[in-house]
Amino acid sequence: MCVYILQVFKFPLIPTTLRQINQSAEQNMSSELLCSERPLFGGAISSSFPQRFQDASNIRQVPNHQEVFVDPSRDESLIFELLDFKGDVEDNGSASWFLHDLAREQDAEAFKLIEQSQVTVAPGLSFRNIPSVVTTAVGEMAISKGRQGREAQNLVRVYVANLRLKGVETDVLVTAYEPILINPLSESANAVASGLAVPASQSGNLPMCDVIKHALSTFRVNDWSLFGSSA
């Protein structure tokens, strides 16, 4: 059963004219048609998102607790991560906590929290009558690619959703990275032109805020034994 999470992200740009509204609707509709269900963690989990995102494990090593998908042509990425449940982190603001933690791990600068949601119950992901909950957060930060130094930092917008599967003591982290400004010294500039990133809607692609919303709305656990003896 899918869990449908509504209005957790509130950041999409709002068109200002009827023509823009129609164009945006047409672009999003055509982009939605390019979404497909993907098996995650050997098929134990599944989620749907645009086909333009390639499985990063085909080109580099990815840790077993992660599934990483990338669109090199736009320097965008979508990551699913399974973590031990953080019992000392409150449900309210948990996504914001993880977003700050990501910023610390990546030695980010100019971090700014843009928004965070309230706690939403995810009844479709309850296990043994123990409900799961979700929170989301959006931020911006300056980070470097790989082992590059701070002189090569890109400004990126980061979308984080924290699905708290309490019945199996697991925090699922879904993270989407969207570049805002590409540094000419960054590795990203080799594939994406440096300077301001072209908005996804202008390229006929689903914006990352909608990519992660779609991934969340179609997120499904197919085999709870993935989470070990507790399941």
Side-chain angles (χ1 to χ4, degrees):
M1 181 178 181
C2 295
V3 53
Y4 292 91
I5 304 164
L6 303 178
Q7 297 181 343
V8 286
F9 288 113
K10 299 173 286 186
F11 198 76
L13 296 176
I14 300 175
T16 56
T17 69
L18 181 59
R19 182 177 181 181
Q20 286 176 307
I21 292 173
N22 291 334
Q23 289 176 337
S24 177
E26 291 172 358
Q27 289 170 347
N28 285 348
M29 184 176 297
S30 62
S31 297
E32 286 283 348
L33 293 175
L34 296 177
C35 290
S36 61
E37 185 177 277
R38 309 287 190 95
L40 307 173
F41 304 102
I45 293 173
S46 60
S47 179
S48 178
F49 45 91
Q51 296 175 10
R52 63 187 176 92
F53 287 91
Q54 307 167 15
D55 189 341
S57 66
N58 293 328
I59 54 178
R60 63 177 173 84
Q61 189 171 4
V62 173
N64 290 336
H65 69 289
Q66 291 183 350
E67 292 277 13
V68 180
F69 298 87
V70 297
D71 180 355
S73 68
R74 293 192 51 78
D75 199 37
E76 294 176 340
S77 59
L78 181 66
I79 302 172
F80 299 83
E81 189 170 9
L82 304 181
L83 303 171
D84 290 334
F85 187 78
K86 297 283 187 182
D88 56 339
V89 176
E90 296 290 335
D91 290 343
N92 190 29
S94 66
S96 175
W97 186 91
F98 280 108
L99 180 59
H100 280 86
D101 191 53
L102 284 173
R104 287 191 295 270
E105 285 184 355
Q106 298 183 63
D107 197 22
E109 292 186 325
F111 175 80
K112 178 172 64 174
L113 179 65
I114 297 174
E115 70 172 47
Q116 58 182 327
S117 75
Q118 298 297 314
V119 179
T120 302
V121 176
L125 291 176
S126 62
F127 182 76
R128 293 178 179 171
N129 295 320
I130 301 174
S132 298
V133 298
V134 59
T135 61
T136 63
V138 183
E140 291 181 2
M141 62 184 77
I143 55 177
S144 303
K145 297 281 286 188
R147 298 182 178 180
Q148 289 193 291
R150 291 190 173 187
E151 71 280 357
Q153 286 180 332
N154 299 319
L155 181 64
V156 299
R157 182 166 296 134
V158 185
Y159 303 84
V160 171
N162 177 211
L163 286 160
R164 315 206 81 185
L165 307 184
K166 298 185 178 184
V168 289
E169 300 181 339
T170 299
D171 272 314
V172 179
L173 206 62
V174 184
T175 309
Y177 290 86
E178 176 183 51
I180 299 173
L181 183 65
I182 301 295
N183 190 318
L185 299 178
S186 171
E187 294 176 0
S188 302
N190 295 328
V192 183
S194 61
L196 288 173
V198 177
S201 58
Q202 291 184 20
S203 303
N205 294 309
L206 199 65
M208 287 305 289
C209 62
D210 291 323
V211 168
I212 191 170
K213 282 195 288 187
H214 190 71
L216 286 173
S217 71
T218 57
F219 186 94
R220 183 170 69 243
V221 177
N222 303 311
D223 183 359
W224 289 92
S225 67
L226 170 69
F227 303 102
S229 58
S230 60

